[in-house]
Amino acid sequence: MKYAYYPGCSLHSSAHEYDQSMRAVFSQLGMELEEIEDWVCCGSTPAHMANELLSVALPLMNLLPARRQGLDVVVPCAACFSAFKVAIARAESDDHVRGQLASVLDEEYEGVRVLHALEAITDGPGLERISEQSLHSLRGLRVACYYGCLLTRPPKVKKFDDAENPQSMDRLVSALGGEPVEWSHKGVCCGASFSLTVLDVVHSLTGDILEQAKKAGADCILVACPLCHSNLDLRQGDIERERDIKIGLPILYFTQLLGLALGCEPESLGLDKNFVSPGWIIDRITANDIELDSAAGNEAEAAALRGGQSDNG
Amino acid sequence: MAQYKICQRTLDADLLHEVAGRSGQNVAECYQCGKCTAGCPMAGFMDVPPNQVTRMLQIGDLAVLETKTIWLCVSCETCVTRCPREVDLPRLMDALRQITYERFNEQPIRIRTLVLDALIETWRGMKKGLKIGTPHAQRLFSATFLENIRRFGRSFEAGLIGSVNLNVGSPLGNMDKGPEMLMKGKLKILPDKNCAVTRIQELFAKIEELEKKTL
């Protein structure tokens, strides 16, 4: 299975570990990623605040090479994913927009399938196969799965998972033997790009998310967006000081946790880049060795460590 | 107390037609149930709650363009997900933002005006003991971001943070995170080189030509 890969600007800098873990995990699962040649910025939030046509043209400019190769596109960043899905929805529903696009891009619009990385991984190989391939269990790990805003909303555009109580990451964690916690803030906004301009708001929103995850008994928070990761990880120390509380929750990209379960080396997953150290989580997971149990003839134990696919949804 | 005269003239205001045209939304659909405001994560920071923005559009109150609200909307899409009338409020907010953005762009010394506004607002805010950013900061952020991608093809994060900081009068903002990010390879000092900068520049130029406006 081969995908055209659109990393986005963040994955080449502040979210470098997301890029590393994406490549490691896709490789482990036997899926090929081919980075789109000469991709340009998708425009993210600023484009749709400034100009409608620009916000639609920038993402579509990147889809054209993939379409020519007949490949589906995989996007790890939730903001880029949103830009692509919105652009496609506008182009497909509005003739006027399609006409404008044709004149500025010098090419007619044609449909391309765009998937968020979470969707590609959970729908592609399937949870059963991922579970069978895992070498380390997440047993004993309580995970707060944080979806943020743009993965699932608005549902008519994203057409992925449930908009009010998404479950795809939760199911992945269960399939790997971990325990996804029930909590209140799985889809509540972190403040996103206000991180640079309206920091107080980010501290307020992100602080609430961290506190609620802690309250729900989570050991760590799983994310699928560079900006969410940045707000929850980089800003955690400042928020702790501001609120005079202790949080200490490592923030992991879902690809990093999946990579650990599949037996990838922690450095290859960029786990040395977190501000809040996930060291103890790495130790705990790598200690749950499924192969050892299988080899010892302990099939029942190995199966238990692998976990099932929960029907929380 | 403000008095509004609702008549055909206010309802025919150019602004309302423009907003409707850009967003494809009919604000008359909204019956003010308040669900948008109830679920909005930013409502507590806004000067005017989200449902009132729709209301202001319904009665033709042009002051909606002056609100902090339209720049404090973070496009989390919660409101449109829950609206019983499926009014796309984030898209309305975008339309309002685009209109104010363009009005600024019409000024010949656009960036200097934005910077000056941002500095004045920051200073005023500091005098009042406020730390919350203003519409100017957010508008400046958008403008700087787009200038960056026009120059480099991709977002150059270090440059973006640096110029936004300088322009809002807090040159050392977020600098405490800098060294650790650099050490961990999470911050690039120089922009990405190998990408289709000319294609992006052509795109910007074509859009400016087509729409007769400056981006």
Side-chain angles (χ1 to χ4, degrees):
Chain A
M1 183 80 217
K2 188 178 177 186
Y3 290 103
Y5 179 49
Y6 180 83
C9 307
S10 300
L11 267 77
H12 273 214
S13 59
S14 60
H16 187 56
E17 64 268 42
Y18 196 5
D19 185 53
Q20 285 177 281
S21 52
M22 274 287 293
R23 292 174 192 276
V25 159
F26 269 72
S27 168
Q28 278 290 97
L29 293 173
M31 299 189 287
E32 201 184 326
L33 287 176
E34 189 179 294
E35 189 161 337
I36 293 175
E37 207 185 323
D38 282 347
W39 56 266
V40 297
C41 179
C42 69
S44 190
T45 307
H48 68 73
M49 285 196 181
N51 186 283
E52 178 83 14
L53 183 54
L54 184 68
S55 71
V56 174
L58 281 170
L60 290 179
M61 192 177 236
N62 293 297
L63 292 182
L64 303 174
R67 194 207 62 199
R68 274 181 233 124
Q69 288 182 278
L71 294 173
D72 289 345
V73 181
V74 154
V75 186
C77 166
C80 302
F81 170 67
S82 186
F84 281 118
K85 292 295 259 197
V86 168
I88 289 171
R90 296 261 203 287
E92 291 191 346
S93 62
D94 193 330
D95 290 334
H96 176 64
V97 167
R98 234 186 353 265
Q100 285 185 312
L101 285 167
S103 60
V104 298
L105 291 175
D106 290 331
E107 238 182 278
E108 290 291 326
Y109 166 77
E110 259 182 52
V112 178
R113 194 159 163 246
V114 173
L115 301 157
H116 186 268
L118 182 57
E119 196 176 355
I121 286 173
T122 52
D123 288 353
L127 294 178
E128 215 174 293
R129 204 189 103 197
I130 292 174
S131 178
E132 278 162 21
Q133 237 185 285
S134 58
L135 297 178
H136 299 289
S137 172
L138 302 185
R139 190 173 69 172
L141 195 68
R142 293 167 59 84
V143 183
C145 296
Y146 179 66
Y147 296 79
C149 306
L150 302 177
L151 277 186
T152 60
R153 295 195 297 263
K156 286 195 173 166
V157 172
K158 306 298 161 64
K159 297 177 186 163
F160 171 54
D161 210 339
D162 185 84
E164 292 287 358
N165 188 6
Q167 293 293 326
S168 42
M169 250 192 279
D170 296 62
R171 280 190 218 113
L172 180 63
V173 169
S174 294
L176 295 169
E179 189 189 329
V181 300
E182 292 272 329
W183 66 304
S184 56
H185 277 49
K186 60 175 19 177
V188 178
C189 188
C190 69
S193 61
F194 283 6
S195 202
L196 288 185
T197 50
V198 203
L199 189 56
D200 277 4
V201 166
V202 167
H203 275 202
S204 174
L205 297 178
T206 301
D208 289 349
I209 294 166
L210 289 166
E211 282 200 67
Q212 289 304 318
K214 187 87 181 165
K215 217 170 168 181
D219 295 317
C220 64
I221 302 180
L222 225 54
V223 298
C225 165
L227 215 32
C228 300
H229 187 281
S230 169
N231 284 342
L232 289 163
D233 183 39
L234 255 76
R235 308 232 173 261
Q236 200 173 129
D238 290 340
I239 289 168
E240 283 177 323
R241 279 183 284 278
E242 202 175 83
R243 297 188 180 199
D244 199 20
I245 51 174
K246 188 84 187 75
I247 302 276
L249 286 172
I251 314 296
L252 273 72
Y253 288 104
F254 76 94
T255 41
Q256 290 179 309
L257 197 61
L258 174 57
L260 279 175
L262 292 173
C264 300
E265 285 302 312
E267 283 76 46
S268 74
L269 302 169
L271 280 162
D272 50 337
K273 294 191 163 45
N274 290 47
F275 271 56
V276 179
S277 173
W280 69 268
I281 291 184
I282 300 171
D283 294 338
R284 184 183 288 190
I285 293 172
T286 45
N288 289 338
D289 202 313
I290 299 177
E291 263 192 349
L292 278 179
D293 275 318
S294 292
N298 205 342
E299 281 303 327
E301 175 73 8
L305 276 181
R306 285 214 164 90
Q309 295 151 54
S310 74
D311 288 320
N312 289 344
Chain B
M1 188 166 131
Q3 285 191 326
Y4 294 103
K5 185 170 183 179
I6 303 174
C7 60
Q8 201 57 44
R9 198 162 39 87
T10 49
L11 294 174
D12 280 344
D14 283 339
L15 174 68
L16 305 191
H17 286 297
E18 200 178 346
V19 170
R22 282 171 190 258
S23 64
Q25 301 301 302
N26 179 8
V27 294
E29 292 275 332
C30 168
Y31 56 57
Q32 295 290 299
C33 72
K35 218 165 171 186
C36 50
T37 300
C40 176
M42 304 295 288
F45 305 105
M46 293 172 167
D47 47 351
V48 158
N51 69 299
Q52 233 173 71
V53 165
T54 330
R55 189 74 187 129
M56 287 169 97
L57 286 168
Q58 284 177 338
I59 61 173
D61 188 352
L62 302 182
V64 70
L65 286 173
E66 313 295 322
T67 61
K68 279 190 189 176
T69 294
I70 64 176
W71 290 97
L72 283 173
C73 164
V74 75
S75 298
C76 74
E77 312 285 333
T78 306
C79 49
V80 59
T81 301
R82 295 175 180 174
C83 177
R85 303 288 277 177
E86 296 185 336
V87 173
D88 196 336
L89 194 46
R91 221 173 149 186
L92 278 170
M93 297 284 186
D94 271 341
L96 291 164
R97 288 187 282 239
Q98 286 161 21
I99 291 168
T100 56
Y101 192 87
E102 280 162 26
R103 285 185 183 185
F104 263 89
N105 284 6
E106 281 155 22
Q107 296 174 28
I109 46 168
R110 178 176 67 96
I111 285 291
R112 218 183 304 165
T113 313
L114 280 172
V115 170
L116 211 55
D117 278 337
L119 283 170
I120 292 171
E121 279 294 326
T122 309
W123 179 71
R124 280 196 187 135
M126 278 163 62
K127 270 182 45 174
K128 286 191 227 168
L130 294 171
K131 281 190 280 178
I132 287 191
T134 67
H136 303 284
Q138 215 28 42
R139 199 160 33 212
L140 193 68
F141 173 75
S142 294
T144 313
F145 185 102
L146 291 177
E147 298 255 332
N148 262 348
I149 65 173
R150 191 172 191 166
R151 278 177 69 195
F152 304 117
R154 293 176 189 171
S155 177
F156 171 38
E157 285 176 343
L160 177 65
I161 296 170
S163 37
V164 169
N165 275 354
L166 270 173
N167 291 334
V168 297
S170 64
L172 299 174
N174 289 302
M175 284 301 131
D176 55 331
K177 308 283 181 289
E180 195 172 346
M181 282 181 75
L182 253 167
M183 277 199 319
K184 293 185 170 180
K186 282 164 77 94
L187 198 65
K188 276 213 176 112
I189 312 195
L190 295 170
D192 260 1
K193 270 178 265 162
N194 58 332
C195 70
V197 177
T198 35
R199 284 199 302 146
I200 258 209
Q201 286 171 350
E202 275 168 17
L203 177 67
F204 271 72
K206 279 190 180 151
I207 293 176
E208 285 179 332
E209 172 66 44
L210 188 68
E211 300 195 333
K212 306 282 183 272
K213 32 175 105 128
T214 321
L215 282 175

